């Protein structure tokens, strides 16, 4: 039995860890896009790089006798999720999306929703001058025209051009702490935060720190998810789904 996990997230790694511990006989391949120079590798097999669109992924599923496909990619990785839905249909492989829930604002939050990075950039001049930009190293072009603003850009690897003219890069990767995020906001005199609605606990402390400081947060909404794909929110539910589909006894059933 062979499970392919499309990964690049904490949840994908966690799923691979549970399967390695609880179902050592199951063949698991983790697929990473190759965006990060030194990725945290999950247990099990690892392949790195694109498949060549939905067609390439469908071919890979057939050539490697994949019995179940888990799309555990980031909520903003919309292309690979669409490709997974198409390829799973073509190759007749059951597909599950493992997607962490989005964040929900509390009463004290000052959130401004944007449909895209471009829309987020358009909101910024009215909200502040010193921006903590946490949307990742890709897509900085959307902010490159904002010459009057200063950006603190946090990313795992260094961002490339085009990028805003006045900026400092903070190379770091989560999980982050509330104390650490408070310190970042105050040390850099931040007056507005920009984030994708990534969800999850690892990067949520910036939202709490912004709330405490009374800072506005521009939240970029998620892209739509493919229709008809069953979805679960945490790795344990994904294990249960796999367990239901694979031969009885290969995976222990659990709560
Ligand atoms: P994307 O725009 O949805 O995908 C672009 C292309 O990258 C896909 O068509 C596919 O190439 C390849 N790809 C993406 N994920 C892949 C995977 N897990 N394994 C193999 N190929 C993959 O993706 P993205 O937004 O650039 O994200 C890339 C990776 O970074 C994902 O694995 C995602 O989980 C992770 N990530 C993304 C974000 C984010 O904000 N977007 C944040 C954290 C982590 P082919 O068409 O050639 O197959």
């Amino acid at each position: 039995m062979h499970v392919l996990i499309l990964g690049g997230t904490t949840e994908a790694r966690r799923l691979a860890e549970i399967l390695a511990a609880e179902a050592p006989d199951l063949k698991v391949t983790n697929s990473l896009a190759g965006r990060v120079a030194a990725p945290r590798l999950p247990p099990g097999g690892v392949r790195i790089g694109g498949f060549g669109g939905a067609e390439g992924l469908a071919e890979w599923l057939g050539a490697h006798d994949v019995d179940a496909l888990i799309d555990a990619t980031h909520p903003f990785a919309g292309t690979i999720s669409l490709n997974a839905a198409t390829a799973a249909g073509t190759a007749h492989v059951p597909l599950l999306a493992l997607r962490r829930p989005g964040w929900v604002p509390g009463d004290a939050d000052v959130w401004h929703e944007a449909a895209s990075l471009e829309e987020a950039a358009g909101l910024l001049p009215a909200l502040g001058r010193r921006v903590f930009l946490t949307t990742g190293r890709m897509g900085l072009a959307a902010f490159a025209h904002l010459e009057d603003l200063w950006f603190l850009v946090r990313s795992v690897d260094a961002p490339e051009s085009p990028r805003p003219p006045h900026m400092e890069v903070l190379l770091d990767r989560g999980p982050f702490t509330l104390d650490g995020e408070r310190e970042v906001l105050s040390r850099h005199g931040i007056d507005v935060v920009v984030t994708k609605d990534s969800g999850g606990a690892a990067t949520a402390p910036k939202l709490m720190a912004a709330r405490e400081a009374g800072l506005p947060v521009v939240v970029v909404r998620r892209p739509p998810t493919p229709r008809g794909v069953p979805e679960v929110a945490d790795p344990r539910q994904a294990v249960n789904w796999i367990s239901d589909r694979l031969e009885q006894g290969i995976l222990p059933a659990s709560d």
Side-chain angles (χ1 to χ4, degrees):
M1 292 290 168
H2 186 188
V3 175
L4 175 64
I5 302 174
L6 303 173
T9 58
T10 309
E11 289 73 19
R13 258 197 325 279
R14 182 71 196 121
L15 173 59
E17 285 165 4
I18 300 175
L19 292 175
E22 298 184 5
D25 293 338
L26 189 69
K27 180 176 174 186
V28 175
T29 303
N30 299 277
S31 177
L32 303 176
R35 299 279 189 281
V36 176
R40 286 178 186 145
L41 294 180
V46 175
R47 65 162 301 287
I48 298 182
F51 294 92
E55 206 176 304
L57 177 54
E59 277 169 25
W60 202 99
L61 294 174
H64 294 82
D65 292 325
V66 173
D67 299 290
L69 175 61
I70 311 292
D71 172 17
T73 57
H74 191 270
F76 279 79
T79 305
I80 187 72
S81 292
L82 282 174
N83 290 352
T86 306
T90 308
H92 304 292
V93 171
L95 167 66
L96 177 74
L98 167 54
R99 204 165 281 117
R100 58 179 98 132
W103 289 313
V104 178
D107 289 344
D109 284 312
V110 187
W111 285 13
H112 298 261
E113 284 202 4
S116 63
L117 293 177
E118 289 72 19
E119 202 175 302
L123 296 174
L124 284 177
L127 295 174
R129 285 279 168 274
R130 296 181 66 80
V131 184
F132 185 24
L133 187 57
T134 66
T135 50
R137 74 186 169 94
M138 319 285 278
L140 286 198
F143 302 89
H145 64 288
L146 295 172
E147 296 181 354
D148 294 338
L149 307 189
W150 179 87
F151 289 84
L152 177 66
V153 175
R154 182 165 67 192
S155 55
V156 176
D157 291 314
E160 290 156 18
S161 294
R163 43 193 237 176
H166 308 295
M167 61 174 270
E168 186 178 322
V169 177
L170 180 59
L171 294 182
D172 205 351
R173 79 168 123 199
F176 300 105
T177 64
L178 179 54
D179 277 349
E181 299 297 54
R182 283 182 185 132
E183 212 267 323
V184 168
L185 296 186
S186 77
R187 178 157 42 98
H188 295 278
I190 298 298
D191 47 26
V192 56
V193 177
V194 184
T195 182
K196 292 174 176 172
D197 179 16
S198 299
T203 58
K206 65 188 166 194
L207 301 173
M208 299 169 210
R211 182 186 309 147
E212 279 179 5
L215 299 184
V217 181
V218 178
V219 180
V220 181
R221 283 198 299 272
R222 296 176 169 204
T225 52
R227 279 204 204 136
V229 177
E231 193 171 315
V232 294
D234 74 74
R236 174 55 68 187
Q237 291 171 297
V239 172
N240 292 345
W241 182 89
I242 294 168
S243 169
D244 285 346
R245 265 143 202 87
L246 301 183
E247 266 182 10
Q248 232 182 342
I250 287 190
L251 287 171
S254 54
D255 296 336

